[in-house]
Amino acid sequence: MAERPAAPAAPELVLETEAGSTVMSPGRDYHVGRDPLSDIVIDDARVSWHHAVLRPEAGRWTIEDENSTNGTFADGRRIHERGVGPGSVIRFGNPSDGPCATLVSPPAPVPERPSAVSMPGLTGTFRRPTTVRPLPARTVRIGRAADNDLVIDDLVVSRLHAELRALPDGTYEIADLGSHNGTFLNGSPVTVAPIGPGDIVGIGHSALCLVGDQLQEFVDTGEVSLDVQELTVAVDRGRKTLLDHVSFPVGEKCLLAVVGPSGAGKSTLLNALTGQRPADHGTVLYDGRDLYRDYAELRQRIGLVPQDDILHSQLTVRSALTYAAELRFPEDTVKAERRARVDEVIRELGLEQRAGQPVHSLSGGQRKRVSVALELLTKPSLLFLDEPTSGLDPGMDRSVMHMLRGLADDGRTVVVVTHSVLSLDVCDRLLVLAPGGRIAYYGQPEDALAFFGFEQWPEAFEAFEHDHDRDWAGDYRFSPFHRHYVSEATAQPRVPRSGPVVITPAARPRSRGAQLGTLVRRYTAALGADRTFLAIMIALPFVMGAMARALAGSRLTQETAMNALLILCVGGVLTGAANAVRELVKERTIYQRERAVGLSRSAYLMSKVVVLGAITVLQAVVLTLVALAGVDLNAPGGEGVLMPPLVEITVAVALLAFTAMTLGLLVSALVRKEEVTMPLLVLLAIVQVVFCGALLKLHGVPGLEQLSWLVPSRWALGAMAGTVGLARIVPGDLTGDPLFKHSAGVWLLNIAMLVVLSAVFCFAVSRLLRRHEPAVMRKS
């Protein structure tokens, strides 16, 4: 970009977007757009290639829209040019939900932490090195395999993971060797990068630092602290606060319970602490490291058990854990290694007697144990649970809480969000959130009721709801409990943060092919174990085929041809759509969690397309053969346009069913609840019947004709009608449709449009899946 004369009076600013931060110096222009060569690249379809430009002029900064298609907005209004400064919020492409950029003043310099081990008091993990060796004079190969120079015994580390290279000038660089989970430098993923004193190289649960003339290794054993500083979350453009300056420390091996009335911000806090939905302001320190800044690396050390089960209920406990291990561990782990780790967590959670049972046959508490076991596969240091005792009886509630107590004692920090107050006595700390997302209490559980002045928890929760005049947060902030458990309970320095939080995007998955193979096998096993689905899947094509055969008789005639082809269309649509319409919405919780730990969106979608597509095409072939095998199709001269008539019709029905399957996936990605899929399936079938061309004249009718182009059955019926020469068998206005011609060009057009619609629907599904992902994963 062209350089401009320096404008020293214009201040230096930081422009923060979802993709990261850009420091804007006043000596040049900064171009914004989708163009990869732009200074600020925003990868969003609503943003133009060259969208806007920021300029330093006359002692201030201005932003000018470059005639973009969808506009640039400030304060909800479209602008052409205006001045901006610290605090300005700009949206591109849409005034409400378009990509957002915020301008802030550069923060005062804050020392990077941890700067190796020069400040060991600031961290737990980096107190004392696990191993110390002289700085190498040659390349050091690092990995899980025993023949590496530096062996890291960690299943999330690849066998050949990275190299620490000594360069001729005496400096060093770190190079990733195509590892599964990535190599990180100061929390950010790298391929090749120079390193120096104070830098931290993260590989799995280990950190490597150059200190003096030594190479020091620090292993995260799980005994970590968590320090939460001034977390604030607001929605509706700041009009509603969900979390209000929440601060508290969590020590090592601590079991923390978070309680509060509905709407107090418990789930919002959980999302902020795990990086699923970062706080708008504030800092989360993972053993002294900024969790948001280093999220790409540290996310591997965080386990999250949502309220809903994250398991395929048809699989056995061992199978569910084995498939999860395949997805989370590098593809170079051998079966014996994965099996050993699965057996280890099964023993740790006391599931030995249940390992061979299907998940759906377990009690609620046992299913929750399996969900926890799944998260423990990768040995997380922080474990978060959302309502793990919801729906459980008091005995099972107690059992689950004692399980969490044991997990914390074994060397983890455990945070549990709960409505239950039956087992708070097993926790080390209790956080009570009042309405508005403010801290009403943080400290030992046994002191909470006395602090509030009540004898029973129901009285306290009722007071939260009705005593609006009491300043719950103020009472606590000026109490000795706050001084003892918050102000004086941590040595961590305050890390001020101005402007919104920006998380470094996580590394892209490096093994989509391996993930696809695992997902296909897991999905096939889950479907195969669902006997109800299997029975319907087998029966449906035979039933629909028998109906079509009854209508067709022994020969397609003027009375039977249209109805027989119409039933084939309906059968193909119902077969494909019914297979897929529930599949994404019922697995949404599973997808969200697996996506957060590195699952490839494309691999997940392709696994559905491959498995359901194969089943659907097979059903369509059976449907067509049951309906028309041995029937005189009455095609012109007994020939199809390119192939035998029965083959052409089978291809058309198979492609229709496949396209309807992708349309079913689209519906499943759109809806929020599984219950609404069946009514939508009925509506979908009706639309296919009405707009296929068998009941209404569509050609030449403005509006209807163009709308029918989006209906798969329109093209499938056209292909089948062309094969048999329907206009000759059933003369009339309907069959005079140009798409019904007995012509190779028209038949190929019909078939090609089914392929195009399938691709369009799959692309739409992929875009819709992004809505249900953690924000940090939507770019990968």
Side-chain angles (χ1 to χ4, degrees):
M1 303 296 175
E3 295 290 333
R4 295 175 56 86
E12 183 175 85
L13 292 179
V14 178
L15 185 135
E16 298 182 334
T17 66
E18 183 177 325
S21 302
T22 301
V23 178
M24 300 195 308
S25 299
R28 50 168 300 194
D29 297 345
Y30 289 82
H31 292 259
V32 183
R34 283 201 342 269
D35 184 354
L37 298 179
S38 297
D39 300 289
I40 297 101
V41 179
I42 301 181
D43 185 17
D44 189 290
R46 295 168 292 183
V47 176
S48 296
W49 194 253
H50 300 294
H51 197 104
V53 60
L54 287 145
R55 294 192 175 98
E57 291 183 348
R60 64 170 188 164
W61 287 89
T62 63
I63 185 167
E64 180 181 353
D65 185 274
E66 293 192 297
N67 298 315
S68 64
T69 301
N70 295 315
T72 304
F73 300 86
D75 300 325
R77 290 179 294 182
R78 188 163 184 166
I79 61 172
H80 174 67
E81 182 177 3
R82 66 171 288 175
V84 292
S88 296
V89 179
I90 306 161
R91 287 195 179 271
F92 304 95
N94 188 287
S96 58
D97 65 349
C100 178
T102 303
L103 289 166
V104 299
S105 298
V110 176
E112 288 290 310
R113 291 173 310 102
S115 57
V117 289
S118 58
M119 301 172 68
L122 298 185
T123 68
T125 302
F126 300 104
R127 287 192 200 97
R128 183 176 299 170
T130 307
T131 61
V132 177
R133 63 180 66 198
L135 282 179
R138 58 178 180 81
T139 295
V140 173
R141 180 161 288 188
I142 305 166
R144 195 178 76 253
D147 58 352
N148 285 288
D149 302 303
L150 176 56
V151 178
I152 298 180
D153 186 17
D154 185 347
L155 282 183
V156 301
V157 175
S158 297
R159 295 183 66 82
L160 301 176
H161 196 104
E163 286 182 344
L164 177 64
R165 297 169 179 168
L167 303 179
D169 61 359
T171 61
Y172 294 85
E173 69 178 14
I174 188 71
D176 184 80
L177 300 179
S179 65
H180 179 85
N181 286 315
T183 301
F184 302 87
L185 179 62
N186 298 323
S188 299
V190 295
T191 303
V192 179
I195 62 172
D199 288 333
I200 298 174
V201 175
I203 297 177
H205 289 80
S206 296
L208 304 175
C209 302
L210 306 183
V211 181
D213 59 353
Q214 296 177 336
L215 173 63
Q216 299 186 352
E217 179 188 7
F218 303 84
V219 178
D220 186 340
T221 59
E223 298 181 7
V224 301
S225 63
L226 188 70
D227 201 88
V228 180
Q229 299 180 358
E230 302 294 328
L231 290 192
T232 302
V233 175
V235 294
D236 296 335
R237 299 187 180 183
R239 289 192 291 268
K240 182 178 181 181
T241 301
L242 303 182
L243 286 182
D244 190 357
H245 295 86
V246 171
S247 300
F248 58 91
V250 186
E252 302 169 7
K253 296 185 178 182
C254 179
L255 174 57
L256 166 66
V258 181
V259 302
S262 297
K266 299 186 297 297
S267 295
T268 303
L269 175 63
L270 188 71
N271 289 333
L273 296 181
T274 57
Q276 305 294 296
R277 196 290 190 190
D280 299 320
H281 300 280
T283 306
V284 180
L285 297 181
Y286 174 102
D287 231 23
R289 300 180 65 180
D290 188 328
L291 176 66
Y292 293 160
R293 183 195 65 192
D294 298 351
Y295 182 77
E297 176 188 352
L298 297 179
R299 70 186 177 106
Q300 300 179 33
R301 309 184 196 179
I302 297 174
L304 171 62
V305 180
Q307 183 173 349
D308 297 326
D309 291 331
I310 48 177
L311 304 155
H312 289 83
S313 59
Q314 302 89 350
L315 299 177
T316 66
V317 171
R318 188 179 299 278
S319 293
L321 294 178
T322 299
Y323 284 121
E326 285 190 43
L327 289 173
R328 299 194 181 197
F329 294 144
E331 56 187 297
D332 61 13
T333 55
V334 298
K335 188 175 182 180
E337 290 178 301
R338 295 194 298 269
R339 185 190 301 118
R341 181 56 188 156
V342 168
D343 290 342
E344 186 179 351
V345 297
I346 286 176
R347 287 193 301 271
E348 185 175 2
L349 273 300
L351 294 166
E352 297 97 322
Q353 304 302 316
R354 311 292 182 185
Q357 287 186 225
V359 173
H360 67 77
S361 69
L362 303 177
S363 67
Q366 291 166 347
R367 286 200 305 273
K368 193 58 64 177
R369 284 178 179 267
V370 179
S371 293
V372 172
L374 188 150
E375 289 300 310
L376 293 186
L377 286 171
T378 54
K379 298 184 178 180
S381 301
L382 287 177
L383 182 62
F384 295 88
L385 301 98
D386 189 8
E387 301 287 356
T389 62
S390 178
L392 302 183
D393 61 64
M396 198 64 70
D397 178 301
R398 187 83 176 167
S399 174
V400 170
M401 292 300 292
H402 275 281
M403 172 192 70
L404 300 181
R405 173 73 269 166
L407 293 176
D409 291 339
D410 286 342
R412 301 176 187 87
T413 299
V414 181
V415 179
V416 54
V417 172
T418 181
H419 276 107
S420 174
V421 294
L422 298 177
S423 303
L424 296 180
D425 58 302
V426 305
C427 301
D428 299 297
R429 292 288 184 269
L430 173 65
L431 172 65
V432 182
L433 290 177
R438 293 170 294 174
I439 294 182
Y441 176 81
Y442 181 77
Q444 294 187 4
E446 58 267 27
D447 297 330
L449 282 175
F451 172 75
F452 293 132
F454 299 106
E455 294 185 358
Q456 301 293 331
W457 277 106
E459 299 173 351
F461 280 97
E462 185 176 356
F464 285 138
E465 295 288 345
H466 301 295
D467 192 353
H468 301 294
D469 295 330
R470 180 170 174 178
D471 184 4
W472 301 95
D475 290 348
Y476 178 72
R477 189 167 53 252
F478 296 107
S479 72
F481 289 99
H482 182 273
R483 183 173 64 253
H484 180 71
Y485 291 113
V486 178
S487 301
E488 299 176 356
T490 177
Q492 299 285 1
R494 290 289 170 181
V495 182
R497 185 188 299 278
S498 60
V501 173
V502 178
I503 282 188
T504 302
R508 293 176 178 269
R510 291 177 167 84
S511 54
R512 288 182 175 86
Q515 287 188 359
L516 176 60
T518 300
L519 291 169
V520 165
R521 287 187 289 107
R522 183 179 70 176
Y523 190 38
T524 302
L527 292 180
D530 189 340
R531 296 182 179 180
T532 303
F533 177 83
L534 284 176
I536 296 174
M537 181 181 68
I538 294 172
L540 184 60
F542 284 98
V543 172
M544 297 299 297
M547 293 171 58
R549 191 175 190 89
L551 289 171
S554 59
R555 177 182 172 86
L556 294 185
T557 65
Q558 185 172 359
E559 290 75 24
T560 64
M562 182 66 84
N563 288 335
L565 298 184
L566 179 58
I567 289 295
L568 284 177
C569 277
V570 173
V573 168
L574 284 177
T575 297
N579 287 343
V581 76
R582 296 165 51 247
E583 294 308 299
L584 298 182
V585 65
K586 76 179 184 181
E587 291 185 2
R588 187 154 294 159
T589 302
I590 298 174
Y591 174 70
Q592 289 173 335
R593 181 60 196 135
E594 292 185 340
R595 183 78 176 110
V597 295
L599 178 70
S600 163
R601 184 191 310 130
S602 59
Y604 176 77
L605 178 56
M606 281 304 299
S607 71
K608 300 298 182 187
V609 172
V610 169
V611 176
L612 292 177
I615 293 171
T616 298
V617 168
L618 180 59
Q619 288 177 301
V621 171
V622 172
L623 165 65
T624 309
L625 294 180
V626 170
L628 298 180
V631 175
D632 183 358
L633 299 180
N634 199 10
E639 301 290 335
V641 294
L642 293 172
M643 297 175 287
L646 183 58
V647 175
E648 288 187 1
I649 292 177
T650 302
V651 169
V653 175
L655 271 176
L656 170 62
F658 184 89
T659 308
M661 180 271 296
T662 61
L663 184 56
L665 289 176
L666 179 60
V667 172
S668 193
L670 276 169
V671 300
R672 295 186 179 274
K673 295 183 179 179
E674 190 176 344
E675 293 80 9
V676 304
T677 56
M678 289 301 108
L680 288 176
L681 177 62
V682 174
L683 177 62
L684 194 108
I686 293 173
V687 170
Q688 301 296 317
V689 171
V690 171
F691 287 94
C692 70
L695 303 179
L696 292 176
K697 184 178 185 300
L698 299 173
H699 176 65
V701 181
L704 284 182
E705 181 179 19
Q706 289 71 32
L707 184 60
S708 71
W709 294 346
L710 299 175
V711 178
S713 61
R714 168 80 164 126
W715 306 99
L717 182 63
M720 291 188 286
T723 293
V724 301
L726 191 63
R728 175 183 51 85
I729 301 173
V730 188
D733 288 343
L734 285 178
T735 57
D737 194 314
L739 294 180
F740 290 5
K741 285 183 179 179
H742 184 78
S743 158
V746 174
W747 188 86
L748 288 173
L749 171 64
N750 287 318
I751 295 299
M753 283 304 300
L754 288 172
V755 175
V756 169
L757 286 176
S758 297
V760 170
F761 293 153
C762 284
F763 176 78
V765 172
S766 178
R767 303 299 292 179
L768 287 170
L769 283 174
R770 296 175 72 250
R771 299 187 312 166
H772 307 296
E773 298 172 358
V776 73
M777 299 302 296
R778 293 175 186 169
K779 293 290 184 182
S780 61

